Amino acid sequence: VPDSTNGRLDSWKEIAEYLGRDVRTLLRWEKEKGLPVHTVPGGKRRTVYAFKHEIDAWLAKEQPAEENQQSAIDQPLPTQMFWRRVPAAIWAALGLVLLGFAAFGAYRWREISSPTLTSILQEGNRLVAISPNSSVAWTYEFPGGPANVLKSLVVPNPHKNGAAGVLVTVGLGERSGDALYFFSPRGQPVWQFQSNDTVSFSSGDHKLSWGFNLIGTLQQKDETKILLTTRGYTWWPSQVLVLNMRGEVESRFINSGWIDTISIIESPRGRMLAAGGVNNSHNGGAVALLDASGFSGSSPEEPGSAFECKSCPPGRPLKYFVIPRSELNVISGSSLYPAGGEPAGSTVLVSKHELPGSIGQPPPASIIEFSLDFQLHRASYDDHYWEWHRKLEIEGKLAHSREKCPERDGPPFIREWTPEHGWREIRAPRR
Ligand SMILES: [Zn+2]
């Protein structure tokens, strides 16, 4: 896990990914072995978070690695993805006043002896920066009452030890759209970024207020950049943005459908970003491959389709894949789930849930395997999928067995878009 991640894990899912175990195992460890998990006070549902340094210390003491071989089966995918879906706003009411930030605009990208920070916490309307010895490095009070902090990230300084700064996304709601704040390593607010605009599609103009989802860092040569994904509060579009450390947008990609995951792939053709989500016009899970050194444009759509962007900057992704809905997804009337891709050794695994899961019952999924330069190797459904297939067959909701299933060899095709060929259906080689 790279240093650029926050020291905090914000959900059972993130803790599970960090430990490489399923949530059911974590619940047991919490009860029986004192896994250090904290509960956010208030709220109807239990919302948890954990600190990596506490988990690491606990791991060193408990060494649970030997037990529970079962969990490998519960985790159909490896867990290299270093950051993922941000949990929905977990903090209470907001009321942030966006004043006073312009005054700090002339920030210089130079700090003498930057302090090292391990994590950023929220206490009411205060941000609290924690240093490695668990003491408070600084605090910042949001003016105007409790802020709805979505995510925070300590950006490491690439040139020397210590922090380059702190990124904080704040949920401001549909009316104003969310905001990204940048703080100096010593806690001074430096700039603030919002990205609301009107985007034209074939179906008409949409005034978009963006909700901020994922936040991370991206190394371009020796410069640290900010990777941000946003999605429309009301409408389907979403964005992948790269900002420089002055808060200026350098790359922008608009997808017709929400983007949910992003990961960095070191492909033979260079470093790529794999943005996973859905594609509305093709009604499937989608993965857009973007050049990590710079990109622009929008998702490829059928000309004249309602989702075709008319006002987006020019440009297309390097490649674009759509994984269609499976038979189980269609017959159960389930919603469309986003696809997500992550590197796994010499391959890239793209997965898409086909039915909802629950704690102790992982969702059935499509698993698509690509080479690192995104040639399709294999398309299959996981074991949970076939368990569900059997269950529906017994219940009489499916009239055929797995052996007779038209999709017994996995998803019959994947839609691929390339600049050379446009859209076409591709099939995994027969095995
Ligand atoms: Zn079937």
Side-chain angles (χ1 to χ4, degrees):
V1 180
D3 292 334
S4 57
T5 43
N6 195 343
R8 198 174 74 188
L9 303 160
D10 279 330
S11 64
W12 281 119
K13 193 159 167 273
E14 288 191 13
I15 300 166
E17 282 176 1
Y18 186 65
L19 281 166
R21 297 304 168 112
D22 59 298
V23 172
R24 191 175 48 189
T25 304
L26 301 193
L27 288 167
R28 189 160 53 76
W29 283 353
E30 187 198 13
K31 208 168 139 195
E32 294 171 11
K33 292 175 175 287
L35 178 71
V37 172
H38 306 271
T39 302
V40 177
K44 288 193 186 112
R45 291 178 54 200
R46 188 172 176 225
T47 307
V48 298
Y49 62 97
F51 297 109
K52 285 180 185 169
H53 67 274
E54 290 184 359
I55 299 263
D56 292 345
W58 175 84
L59 271 177
K61 204 172 84 227
E62 287 291 336
Q63 293 184 312
E66 290 354 294
E67 66 152 310
N68 196 24
Q69 297 301 316
Q70 171 72 22
S71 67
I73 300 159
D74 292 335
Q75 294 267 324
L77 285 178
T79 55
Q80 286 91 335
M81 181 173 275
F82 70 89
W83 52 276
R84 247 187 188 283
R85 178 206 297 260
V86 176
I90 55 171
W91 302 96
L94 51 109
L96 191 71
V97 179
L98 303 175
L99 294 175
F101 282 81
F104 297 95
Y107 175 70
R108 278 164 207 265
W109 184 247
R110 231 176 273 141
E111 284 270 334
I112 300 154
S113 70
S114 294
T116 306
L117 304 170
T118 52
S119 58
I120 305 295
L121 312 178
Q122 186 187 18
E123 281 175 356
N125 67 337
R126 281 201 315 165
L127 283 179
V128 182
I130 304 294
S131 59
N133 61 6
S134 300
S135 66
V136 172
W138 51 262
T139 66
Y140 173 79
E141 199 151 325
F142 284 102
N148 185 20
V149 170
L150 302 174
K151 195 79 176 175
S152 59
L153 180 69
V154 177
V155 183
N157 191 319
H159 303 298
K160 50 191 181 218
N161 292 333
V166 172
L167 294 164
V168 177
T169 50
V170 179
L172 297 175
E174 185 179 344
R175 184 168 293 192
S176 55
D178 294 349
L180 170 66
Y181 294 89
F182 183 69
F183 293 88
S184 79
R186 300 198 178 279
Q188 295 299 313
V190 180
W191 50 257
Q192 179 235 326
F193 169 78
Q194 279 178 290
S195 171
N196 300 320
D197 50 12
T198 297
V199 183
S200 300
F201 293 86
S202 297
S203 49
D205 293 350
H206 295 288
K207 190 177 181 309
L208 293 165
S209 56
W210 297 104
F212 288 3
N213 186 17
L214 302 166
I215 178 86
T217 57
L218 177 69
Q219 227 34 56
Q220 284 181 353
K221 293 179 184 152
D222 59 348
E223 255 194 89
T224 303
K225 302 287 172 71
I226 301 161
L227 195 47
L228 175 70
T229 71
T230 77
R231 47 199 193 187
Y233 261 100
T234 319
W235 300 101
W236 70 85
S238 57
Q239 294 183 111
V240 181
L241 300 171
V242 174
L243 286 75
N244 61 28
M245 283 301 193
R246 296 178 299 281
E248 298 156 348
V249 174
E250 293 187 340
S251 293
R252 183 182 190 209
F253 172 75
I254 292 189
N255 188 59
S256 287
W258 276 13
I259 286 168
D260 251 48
T261 64
I262 199 154
S263 49
I264 296 171
I265 313 280
E266 303 292 351
S267 106
R269 289 203 271 168
R271 179 179 283 189
M272 294 181 182
L273 301 177
V278 300
N279 182 280
N280 282 37
S281 64
H282 289 92
N283 193 26
V287 176
L289 296 179
L290 305 171
D291 183 345
S293 63
F295 54 85
S296 166
S298 58
S299 53
E301 306 293 338
E302 302 294 347
S305 135
F307 300 105
E308 186 189 20
C309 186
K310 296 295 202 185
S311 66
C312 288
R316 289 281 184 251
L318 299 170
K319 274 191 177 187
Y320 196 94
F321 295 100
V322 172
I323 298 141
R325 289 172 183 265
S326 67
E327 178 191 50
L328 286 194
N329 184 268
V330 171
I331 65 158
S332 64
S334 286
S335 53
L336 172 61
Y337 293 92
E342 45 197 291
S346 60
T347 62
V348 177
L349 288 181
V350 172
S351 70
K352 175 167 71 76
H353 294 171
E354 299 299 340
L355 289 172
S358 56
I359 287 178
Q361 192 172 47
S366 305
I367 309 287
I368 318 295
E369 192 183 310
F370 292 94
S371 62
L372 285 176
D373 60 350
F374 283 88
Q375 300 301 315
L376 177 60
H377 275 185
R378 182 149 56 146
S380 60
Y381 297 124
D382 70 359
D383 291 345
H384 303 299
Y385 186 95
W386 294 113
E387 285 162 21
W388 272 97
H389 195 280
R390 178 81 186 129
K391 189 166 166 274
L392 294 179
E393 189 193 340
I394 290 165
E395 288 170 3
K397 291 172 185 162
L398 262 178
H400 61 257
S401 65
R402 175 178 180 173
E403 290 67 35
K404 300 258 166 62
C405 182
E407 297 185 4
R408 62 187 171 276
D409 296 326
F413 63 88
I414 307 295
R415 286 202 178 89
E416 178 195 63
W417 182 94
T418 58
E420 305 84 46
H421 302 288
W423 284 105
R424 59 182 181 174
E425 290 178 1
I426 57 169
R427 283 164 179 76
R430 282 230 159 259
R431 303 170 74 84

